[in-house]
Amino acid sequence: MDRPNQKALLAELTSLLTKGNAHATFEEATADLTPKTWNQRVPNAPYTIWQLVEHIRIAQWDIVEFSIDAEHQSPEFPAGYWPAPDATADEEQWQEALDQIRQTRQRFLHLLHAPGTDLLAPIPHGTGQTILREAFLIADHAAYHTGEIILLRRLLHAWE
């Protein structure tokens, strides 16, 4: 890929991972919540807002670590990607999860923009995955669950 096209693609991927574009961002979806709200159950919903945030954290961490570290061992699927069904979080755990989501996203952005990163080359320790595919996976997964967070907030009357 020539340099101008790669720069344009990197700009689009960065925007995809950090901005809402056509929808609310993860940061907007998780802003101004209290422990009561993020731990509250909604009838017939399988998880709380906290559990969704923790799931996003675990999955994104796994994708980023896989992309960077050939020795990384992924959690057991699917149980290792979700907190316990009755898990709740206090303010410290909530903030820690949000911080880790930002930090792992930043680590991935550094990888994307690193001079030697070939977006289309198979990851050597993978089974055909590329950094481009992992970028799409992070963005798609986060957007899907961000929509669920907003839906739960609406059902809890905590979203305008």
Side-chain angles (χ1 to χ4, degrees):
M1 182 178 317
D2 64 17
R3 190 72 184 138
N5 285 337
Q6 179 152 331
K7 283 183 76 171
L9 180 57
L10 286 172
E12 290 298 329
L13 289 171
T14 300
S15 178
L16 179 66
L17 291 165
T18 61
K19 299 188 181 341
N21 296 323
H23 52 79
T25 65
F26 173 78
E27 286 75 14
E28 291 165 339
T30 56
D32 303 321
L33 291 173
T34 64
K36 179 182 177 194
T37 304
W38 70 62
N39 288 315
Q40 189 171 349
R41 292 223 163 259
V42 172
N44 300 315
Y47 27 65
T48 64
I49 292 171
W50 157 248
Q51 291 164 347
L52 284 166
V53 166
E54 183 64 358
H55 171 67
I56 291 169
R57 184 195 66 76
I58 294 165
Q60 181 176 282
W61 164 82
D62 181 50
I63 295 165
V64 173
E65 289 303 312
F66 164 76
S67 299
I68 294 170
D69 182 3
E71 302 300 316
H72 172 68
Q73 295 293 312
S74 292
E76 181 182 326
F77 184 83
Y81 289 84
W82 287 94
D86 59 348
T88 60
D90 61 24
E91 290 187 38
E92 183 179 334
Q93 291 167 303
W94 174 259
Q95 194 57 53
E96 205 171 279
L98 297 179
D99 290 345
Q100 287 179 14
I101 289 167
R102 279 189 292 275
Q103 289 166 4
T104 57
R105 183 188 322 141
Q106 194 59 44
R107 284 185 73 209
F108 191 79
L109 288 168
H110 285 305
L111 174 63
L112 273 181
H113 290 271
T117 299
D118 182 343
L119 299 176
L120 301 175
I123 296 171
H125 53 274
T127 57
Q129 301 92 335
T130 66
I131 296 300
L132 180 61
R133 179 224 185 242
E134 299 307 293
F136 288 148
L137 183 59
I138 290 169
D140 181 54
H141 184 260
Y144 175 83
H145 289 301
T146 296
E148 289 184 308
I149 290 168
I150 291 168
L151 177 60
L152 289 178
R153 286 188 67 162
R154 285 185 172 155
L155 293 170
L156 293 167
H157 307 288
W159 184 263
E160 295 191 26

